[in-house]
Amino acid sequence: MGRARRSLLIPSLICAISLLLTFHNASCFYLPGVAPEDFQKGDLLSVKVNKLTSTKTQLPYSFYSVPFCRPENIIDSRENLGEVLRGDRIENSPFMFKMREPEMCHVVCRLVLDDKTAKEFKEKIEDEYRVNMILDNLPLVVPVRRLEQEAPPAYQQGVYIGVKGQYAGSKDEKHFIHNHLTFAVKYHKDLQTDSARIVGFEVMPFSVKHEYDGKWADNSRLTTCDPHAKRTVSNSNSPQEVEANQEIIFTYDVEFQESDVKWASRWDAYLLMADDQIHWFSIVNSLMIVLFLSGMVAMIMLRTLYRDISKYNELETQEEAQEETGWKLVHSDVFRPPSYSDLLCVYVGTGVQFFGMMLVTMMFAVLGFLSPSNRGGLMTAMLLLWVFMGLFAGYSASRLYKMFKGTEWKRIALRTAFLFPATVFVIFFVLNALIWGQKSSGAVPFGTMFALVFLWFGISVPLVFVGSYVGFKKPTIEDPVKTNKIPRQIPEQAWYMNPIFSVLIGGILPFGAVFIELFFILTSIWLNQFYYLFGFLFIVFVILIVTCAEITIVLCYFQLCSEDYLWWWRSYLTSGSSALYLFLYATFYFFTKLDITKPVSGILYFGYMLIASYAFFVLTGTIGFYACFWFTRLIYSSVKID
């Protein structure tokens, strides 16, 4: 097993490096959540069922919340923290296969619908719910043919419970259920041992009104689907309607197909996006533009600053030095502590916590440890990293607080530990109450809620205090120039240097660096698709850092040149304003790409996107602040000041 993992890790590392160094289309190996399992012919394969999902409601439900066929005993699988927060509820099912032994027209069960069950099925079909199943850690997918004939098929996660349609010659819309599933299990065979590994799990759904002779019994033979007469289901010409007092017979076929795909790369087909060419072109185009702009900005800043510093240092030996101009004029006020300096320290500390979490998460994701095969792994990793990064949050907040001549480090530590998490927790709690009211499996159970609170109070808060204590014990960061006791009056500013205008302008470039990638991330979250380009996401993250830093430095330089020294908060808000554009884009995405009609689902969408935008504000704001902080200290320590 150890050798298998090492053999998988090496291709993953090579693939991650190739993604970062080139923009060429690569085929990656993804580290799965479990070790490979070998099956001999005739071995029992247990299909598990997961939640029912819908892109129209965004409310997941457990499989057995709808009256499907049930096994004798329903056994819940143990989910990790991320899976529970995603609403996953993995349970056993009545679908049982035998490895490499095809089965035709296996009857699962027969149901007679009453008014209640018919209504439940109709509601789920109306809301376009899909059934999600798992076999050997692979999700069930429906192959969808692309427009290009030679292109490999795209895959849709899960199979629709049913469809709406009309009988020929009728205008009345009816609900039809997919009661016959044709499964295809793909396997890769080891020629030496005759064992096989599962590399694909596909299905084709059909709606068939099954018929049989006489009265129904356990051994009744269907006339519409008979393995003895080699009569199979290949179309839905005679569909099964969902109505009260109707009987529905659930059946399935299973066939086994040998595949050349090896187990290590079995996820590649699943992760192939339908519009990959557009995706790659858009990403490369966006990165080239942003890199070009960044290079231009860097050149202008270096040339301008070099000229300014040389001029100011030459003026020290001349009489003109008495008439100081530009940014040097405010040297005695530029490091004056800002208003609400405590709050700024808290937000900077929280931003450092977020930055650390994102950076480490990206690195793990690029290496393949957090691929979609590891369900819930990404969310679990982000939560745990957030908790442990509290150490750096407390440290950076107290260091800045001490520089502002603060003395009560415990108060800053307390506010850093509670301000952002408490705000998010309140929003999350309200949203969870709404989900609970809908009886959805997406509602976080009490036990998981307790675990989240324990992670916060039991680990994160103490670590913030430890970090604050260590940071406060460090020597005070000394300013490169002295600050006058009496603040200098700021002259009237030009209209384009208005704080609101410059802050709003500053957020455009960082948002421009990520908005194309943002489209694919939103699609993966809200339209139930896989996201796999973590290599490019990491590059976009680096570009985001660079653009946040450079746009903040540029606008800070212009601000100081116009003799306005109130840069502390503006540097944070300049790049942080990109979160406003993110939320506006999320609103645009909601109305143009999603088909959400229920008010509760809309509230959930905007609630979660508000949390995401708030987190993005804290992250980008902190990057901009530290860039400007470094920049101002650099330029004022580079000139001679009497």
Side-chain angles (χ1 to χ4, degrees):
M1 178 175 156
R3 196 187 310 170
R5 285 192 179 278
R6 282 195 297 273
S7 67
L8 283 171
L9 179 59
I10 292 167
S12 295
L13 285 166
I14 293 169
C15 185
I17 292 166
S18 68
L19 260 175
L20 289 169
L21 295 179
T22 72
F23 295 118
H24 195 67
N25 202 345
S27 176
C28 289
F29 294 101
Y30 286 85
L31 294 178
V34 293
E37 190 171 353
D38 295 317
F39 297 96
Q40 298 293 337
K41 186 173 182 180
D43 283 355
L44 195 64
L45 302 179
S46 299
V47 177
K48 294 181 179 180
V49 289
N50 200 348
K51 60 189 174 184
L52 304 175
T53 54
S54 167
T55 56
K56 286 186 74 173
T57 67
Q58 302 296 335
L59 293 167
Y61 288 91
S62 66
F63 180 81
Y64 295 113
S65 64
V66 178
F68 284 113
C69 304
R70 296 166 177 256
E72 290 183 8
N73 297 309
I74 297 174
I75 303 168
D76 290 332
S77 298
R78 295 182 63 182
E79 292 98 5
N80 60 40
L81 182 61
E83 286 177 312
V84 174
L85 293 175
R86 280 162 31 107
D88 286 350
R89 297 296 181 268
I90 302 171
E91 298 156 314
N92 63 325
S93 78
F95 299 97
M96 306 292 285
F97 310 152
K98 287 186 178 179
M99 187 65 179
R100 288 154 61 191
E101 292 185 6
E103 233 178 322
M104 188 186 295
C105 204
H106 182 96
V107 177
V108 185
C109 74
R110 171 181 173 270
L111 297 177
V112 178
L113 303 182
D114 55 22
D115 290 334
K116 183 184 176 184
T117 52
K119 183 184 177 186
E120 288 174 348
F121 273 121
K122 283 182 179 180
E123 286 176 351
K124 292 295 183 285
I125 293 170
E126 189 78 33
D127 289 332
E128 298 179 4
Y129 271 89
R130 302 180 195 175
V131 174
N132 292 282
M133 298 184 189
I134 300 166
L135 178 63
D136 190 36
N137 201 40
L138 276 179
L140 180 69
V141 291
V142 178
V144 179
R145 291 185 65 182
R146 303 189 192 221
L147 295 176
E148 302 88 0
Q149 293 295 325
E150 297 179 358
Y155 290 105
Q156 166 201 295
Q157 276 195 79
V159 56
Y160 286 110
I161 293 175
V163 292
K164 291 189 296 181
Q166 300 164 337
Y167 287 113
S170 172
K171 293 184 178 180
D172 295 333
E173 199 165 59
K174 302 289 184 181
H175 297 81
F176 303 104
I177 191 167
H178 287 140
N179 60 323
H180 180 87
L181 301 177
T182 299
F183 294 104
V185 178
K186 297 184 177 181
Y187 64 92
H188 183 76
K189 189 177 177 182
D190 189 331
L191 298 176
Q192 294 179 341
T193 62
D194 199 45
S195 62
R197 293 176 177 176
I198 295 171
V199 295
F201 186 34
E202 300 176 4
V203 69
M204 287 299 293
F206 298 99
S207 180
V208 182
K209 185 173 178 60
H210 282 304
E211 297 174 356
Y212 52 89
D213 296 326
K215 289 189 176 181
W216 176 259
D218 290 340
N219 59 351
S220 293
R221 285 172 59 175
L222 301 175
T223 57
T224 46
C225 176
D226 188 355
H228 300 90
K230 302 293 183 184
R231 189 180 296 118
T232 60
V233 176
S234 58
N235 57 60
S236 300
N237 292 339
S238 178
Q240 175 63 61
E241 191 179 332
V242 178
E243 285 295 344
N245 303 318
Q246 285 264 16
E247 70 167 3
I248 301 177
I249 298 172
F250 289 90
T251 56
Y252 70 84
D253 301 335
V254 58
E255 59 181 18
F256 291 86
Q257 301 171 1
E258 190 169 354
S259 172
D260 294 329
V261 176
K262 293 185 178 180
W263 186 90
S265 49
R266 63 179 184 166
W267 276 87
D268 289 359
Y270 287 70
L271 303 179
L272 190 65
M273 299 182 73
D275 49 1
D276 54 345
Q277 293 299 322
I278 299 170
H279 180 92
W280 289 91
F281 176 77
S282 301
I283 292 293
V284 172
N285 191 43
S286 174
L287 294 179
M288 289 299 106
I289 292 170
V290 172
L291 283 170
F292 175 74
L293 289 173
S294 300
M296 291 290 291
V297 167
M299 280 177 53
I300 293 166
M301 292 307 301
L302 285 171
R303 285 189 62 185
T304 308
L305 274 176
Y306 181 77
R307 189 177 67 239
D308 282 355
I309 291 169
S310 300
K311 186 178 73 174
Y312 288 149
N313 286 336
E314 286 171 10
L315 286 174
E316 289 297 327
T317 59
Q318 302 173 13
E319 294 180 1
E320 297 103 42
Q322 296 173 2
E323 286 293 325
E324 292 180 343
T325 57
W327 53 266
K328 191 183 175 187
L329 193 60
V330 293
H331 66 81
S332 57
D333 294 277
V334 75
F335 292 105
R336 188 180 304 283
S339 305
Y340 308 105
S341 58
D342 290 9
L343 187 62
L344 181 63
C345 296
V346 170
Y347 270 111
V348 168
T350 306
V352 169
Q353 190 174 5
F354 242 106
F355 180 80
M357 179 198 74
M358 291 295 294
L359 187 64
V360 179
T361 303
M362 293 271 190
M363 291 172 68
F364 275 113
V366 163
L367 294 175
F369 289 103
L370 301 176
S371 73
S373 62
N374 188 6
R375 278 183 309 278
L378 183 65
M379 193 170 288
T380 304
M382 290 178 74
L383 273 172
L384 293 176
L385 284 169
W386 165 264
V387 167
F388 289 111
M389 288 294 168
L391 190 71
F392 299 99
Y395 179 84
S396 50
S398 64
R399 287 278 280 164
L400 194 61
Y401 178 68
K402 191 174 183 181
M403 195 189 80
F404 290 149
K405 307 296 186 290
T407 55
E408 299 177 19
W409 67 270
K410 291 179 183 176
R411 188 180 68 178
I412 282 296
L414 194 69
R415 292 177 69 178
T416 305
F418 282 95
L419 181 64
F420 180 86
T423 307
V424 171
F425 190 81
V426 167
I427 299 171
F428 176 74
F429 190 81
V430 171
L431 296 178
N432 195 60
L434 289 172
I435 300 171
W436 197 279
Q438 297 294 312
K439 298 178 180 177
S440 166
S441 68
V444 176
F446 176 77
T448 308
M449 193 72 79
F450 178 79
L452 291 174
V453 172
F454 173 76
L455 285 173
W456 179 15
F457 283 87
I459 302 176
S460 181
V461 172
L463 284 176
V464 171
F465 271 85
V466 170
S468 293
Y469 176 78
V470 173
F472 201 74
K473 288 294 180 183
K474 290 281 185 180
T476 307
I477 300 171
E478 297 294 336
D479 297 331
V481 290
K482 292 181 180 179
T483 302
N484 285 346
K485 291 183 179 179
I486 301 171
R488 173 188 175 85
Q489 187 175 356
I490 299 171
E492 188 176 346
Q493 301 293 303
W495 66 270
Y496 51 84
M497 291 306 296
N498 180 280
I500 297 174
F501 180 78
S502 62
V503 161
L504 291 176
I505 289 295
I508 294 174
L509 193 58
F511 173 74
V514 299
F515 89 96
I516 293 177
E517 201 66 23
L518 182 65
F519 169 81
F520 291 98
I521 293 171
L522 290 177
T523 301
S524 72
I525 295 171
W526 300 108
L527 293 180
N528 199 28
Q529 294 182 11
F530 290 116
Y531 182 85
Y532 75 107
L533 287 177
F534 289 113
F536 272 108
L537 185 61
F538 185 78
I539 295 173
V540 170
F541 182 62
V542 173
I543 294 296
L544 175 67
I545 295 169
V546 172
T547 48
C548 283
E550 289 186 346
I551 195 67
T552 308
I553 287 171
V554 169
L555 293 179
C556 180
Y557 173 73
F558 291 148
Q559 181 185 349
L560 294 174
C561 284
S562 60
E563 300 175 23
D564 182 355
Y565 54 84
L566 302 176
W567 63 272
W568 297 95
W569 270 110
R570 201 189 290 192
S571 66
Y572 196 98
L573 296 172
T574 295
S575 52
S577 65
S578 56
L580 174 64
Y581 296 104
L582 188 150
F583 190 78
L584 291 174
Y585 182 78
T587 306
F588 169 79
Y589 186 88
F590 178 84
F591 288 108
T592 57
K593 299 295 180 182
L594 300 182
D595 191 23
I596 293 176
T597 53
K598 289 190 175 182
V600 172
S601 303
I603 293 169
L604 287 177
Y605 176 86
F606 285 106
Y608 285 127
M609 290 314 301
L610 184 64
I611 292 174
S613 301
Y614 186 27
F616 194 71
F617 164 73
V618 171
L619 173 69
T620 53
T622 300
I623 294 168
F625 171 81
Y626 270 116
C628 202
F629 181 66
W630 167 81
F631 172 73
T632 50
R633 291 180 65 81
L634 180 70
I635 63 172
Y636 283 100
S637 61
S638 300
V639 294
K640 303 173 193 172
I641 295 172
D642 297 330

